[in-house]
Amino acid sequence: MNVTKVTDNIYQLSVNVENILFEGLWEMPNGVSLNSYIIKGEKTAIIDGVCGWDGVPESLFKLLDELKIDPKSIEYVIINHMEPDHSGWLEDFKQITSDFKILCTEKAKDLVDAFFEHSEDIIVVKDNDTLDLGKGHLLKFVEIPNVHWPETMATFDTLTGTLFSCDAFGSFGSVKDNNYDDLLRPEEIEFYEKEAVRYYSNIVAAFSLPVRKAIEKCQSLPIKIIAPGHGIVWRENPNKIIEDYSRYASYQRGPAKEEITLIWGSMYGMTEKAVEYVIDILEKEKINYNVHRVPEDSWGSVLTSAWTSTGIILGMPTYEYKMFPPMAALLEELGKKKVLNRKAFRFGSYGWSGGAEKELIEIMDKYSMKWDFLESVEFKGIPREEDLQVIGERVRELVKIVRETVYR
Ligand code: FEO
């Protein structure tokens, strides 16, 4: 656990978590930070918490000691969001002091009881309610439901203009002592931008409409600093992460970037022969593209690419009258995350029967994905020269459509 100063009387406690799957599911090649914040007025409040992830409460004791904060002086625990990466420390915290009040939304209150069998000293807050910590630190609560769970809120310190936004405006990527945009080099900011897209597409994407509503709500506040629950703090240019998140949310319905993601799977290398041909065409067309093989590449990586791409090419064979199963599973996930309105094209091999196309249509309909497909190219066995010619034409057509769509 690490402690850094955000601004006067406000400190960040941060823990990096690596070598786990986030939510038990999402690969994090560069880790993630869990951020907690302490505000010292005449009374002290702690927002969200991380000590449970550091093994024992002793680490929190030590840091509080460094900050000259008596743990027993922490009068308020503010729970912005009940997902256990933010709230899971509560049991550990109770070993430090039992005399504190929890502030959370009505929906969170139920979950505090459900998750931790804790129902006492809970103050339910709603939009625009305030908590006065003294020394000017008047905290205002802002409900931002479904960013990421229905009970989520943000907390705004009116004195310093600091928005403690929890999952909103967060990113993957472990942090160091310099986890502030004003202390990072441009290439480090670029790293966190990429990690923010990965985080957004994996964790928040399905809730892009609530994200847009939350952004509108937060923009009415005089924000000077954005201090999220994951990733770096934005105190030089908080508008950057707000604008980035607005853009990421807009990618849900498209258009996204001038970019194509090729997702493919192959059983015995027959579909793969056409994949090589498609990559060659994308190179010649000089368009940005990503290539992912299923099931080898993680869902998180494929989803990140699909989220930012206006065009998607699928290459997969038929398997037992259906689509190659890992591709079907991935497309279902893209549907659940609401990757909508993509410009698309599919090709693939079949042997004694087709069937992949039928399942593709079923998945698109099931999740109302509204992908606009060029006519698919299916070939029996290996692709012949004439098949490759048609595939090439379709890919060039898709590139043209992507460019027209992005710059319309
Ligand atoms: Fe960072 Fe939805 O938890």
Side-chain angles (χ1 to χ4, degrees):
M1 191 183 292
N2 200 19
V3 61
T4 52
K5 181 175 174 178
V6 178
T7 187
D8 288 347
N9 299 326
I10 299 181
Y11 303 89
Q12 183 196 65
L13 307 175
S14 185
V15 171
N16 289 325
V17 179
E18 289 157 353
N19 302 319
I20 65 158
L21 296 175
F22 198 72
E23 296 182 333
L25 171 64
W26 303 105
E27 181 194 45
M28 297 183 299
N30 300 306
V32 66
S33 73
L34 309 180
N35 305 331
S36 174
Y37 297 92
I38 289 185
I39 308 173
K40 278 172 74 175
E42 282 152 12
K43 300 169 182 175
T44 300
I46 186 162
I47 300 179
D48 299 328
V50 295
C51 67
W53 292 82
D54 217 9
V56 287
E58 280 79 0
S59 51
L60 181 60
F61 265 130
K62 185 168 161 289
L63 291 181
L64 291 174
D65 195 44
E66 274 178 38
L67 297 174
K68 300 191 184 350
I69 294 173
D70 177 357
K72 297 201 183 310
S73 74
I74 299 177
E75 202 162 317
Y76 301 107
V77 168
I78 296 168
I79 298 180
N80 277 331
H81 172 31
M82 274 301 295
E83 191 163 13
D85 52 325
H86 306 277
S87 71
W89 66 305
L90 201 57
E91 289 301 317
D92 286 331
F93 187 70
K94 281 157 85 171
Q95 295 178 45
I96 293 173
T97 175
S98 57
D99 188 18
F100 62 90
K101 296 177 185 62
I102 291 174
L103 284 92
C104 63
T105 60
E106 180 75 44
K107 285 194 170 115
K109 182 184 173 191
D110 288 345
L111 289 182
V112 173
D113 191 24
F115 286 12
F116 305 112
E117 297 181 290
H118 183 110
S119 55
E120 291 175 359
D121 293 323
I122 296 181
I123 300 171
V124 169
V125 295
K126 51 189 187 318
D127 250 350
N128 296 318
D129 282 356
T130 56
L131 172 70
D132 192 351
L133 296 177
K135 295 187 181 170
H137 291 283
L138 181 72
L139 305 184
K140 184 169 164 179
F141 302 102
V142 186
E143 292 184 68
I144 50 170
N146 294 311
V147 189
H148 150 229
W149 284 3
E151 85 299 345
T152 313
M153 66 176 188
T155 300
F156 183 67
D157 177 37
T158 55
L159 180 65
T160 60
T162 306
L163 181 72
F164 303 96
S165 56
C166 203
D167 278 354
F169 310 123
S171 69
F172 279 145
S174 293
V175 299
K176 301 181 186 145
D177 283 357
N178 62 342
N179 58 337
Y180 296 86
D181 65 338
D182 51 303
L183 301 179
L184 292 165
R185 298 191 305 276
E187 59 271 26
E188 291 173 308
I189 296 278
E190 200 177 317
F191 166 82
Y192 286 107
E193 279 173 7
K194 288 187 180 149
E195 289 297 311
V197 178
R198 176 183 278 273
Y199 174 81
Y200 187 95
S201 59
N202 289 197
I203 308 301
V204 192
F207 308 102
S208 289
L209 181 58
V211 166
R212 286 202 290 273
K213 287 182 179 167
I215 289 173
E216 276 176 31
K217 210 165 179 180
C218 292
Q219 280 180 319
S220 67
L221 300 167
I223 294 172
K224 292 186 183 145
I225 299 171
I226 289 184
H230 305 290
I232 63 172
V233 174
W234 301 84
R235 62 185 177 190
E236 183 173 73
N237 188 5
N239 275 337
K240 174 172 167 38
I241 192 66
I242 293 173
E243 284 164 11
D244 285 351
Y245 258 61
S246 299
R247 201 169 58 254
Y248 304 155
S250 78
Y251 290 165
Q252 183 182 66
R253 296 193 162 275
K257 292 188 192 174
E258 183 190 329
E259 181 181 282
I260 288 176
T261 289
L262 165 61
I263 311 167
W264 67 281
S266 186
M267 294 161 64
Y268 295 106
M270 297 185 192
T271 296
E272 188 172 2
K273 284 186 192 306
V275 168
E276 292 159 12
Y277 188 76
V278 166
I279 291 173
D280 190 46
I281 302 242
L282 292 172
E283 277 288 331
K284 286 180 178 144
E285 289 293 316
K286 297 189 185 344
I287 188 161
N288 287 335
Y289 66 93
N290 315 294
V291 181
H292 294 286
R293 183 173 188 172
V294 290
E296 283 81 354
D297 285 8
S298 74
W299 277 7
S301 298
V302 185
L303 181 51
T304 307
S305 294
W307 194 259
T308 59
S309 293
T310 298
I312 298 202
I313 300 175
L314 304 173
M316 95 292 270
T318 285
Y319 179 94
E320 295 179 356
Y321 305 104
K322 294 276 193 179
M323 189 190 297
F324 186 53
M327 181 69 84
L330 173 77
L331 286 175
E332 292 251 359
E333 188 57 28
L334 296 187
K336 289 172 192 169
K337 295 292 188 192
K338 301 188 174 73
V339 180
L340 307 175
N341 300 320
R342 284 351 190 217
K343 306 298 174 189
F345 166 59
R346 180 189 95 77
F347 62 90
S349 173
Y350 65 96
W352 37 265
S353 158
E357 186 77 6
K358 182 168 177 287
E359 191 175 10
L360 176 64
I361 293 166
E362 287 168 2
I363 293 172
M364 290 292 140
D365 287 348
K366 180 177 175 185
Y367 295 100
S368 302
M369 294 166 78
K370 299 189 174 69
W371 289 16
D372 186 9
F373 275 91
L374 294 170
E375 187 181 347
S376 297
V377 178
E378 292 192 296
F379 40 87
K380 192 174 177 78
I382 57 169
R384 299 328 201 248
E385 187 54 37
E386 55 269 30
D387 298 316
L388 294 175
Q389 289 301 322
V390 180
I391 288 170
E393 284 167 22
R394 298 273 197 283
V395 171
R396 279 188 282 272
E397 176 67 8
L398 184 71
V399 170
K400 184 165 167 279
I401 291 169
V402 164
R403 287 187 164 135
E404 286 171 356
T405 304
V406 171
Y407 296 108
R408 186 178 295 155

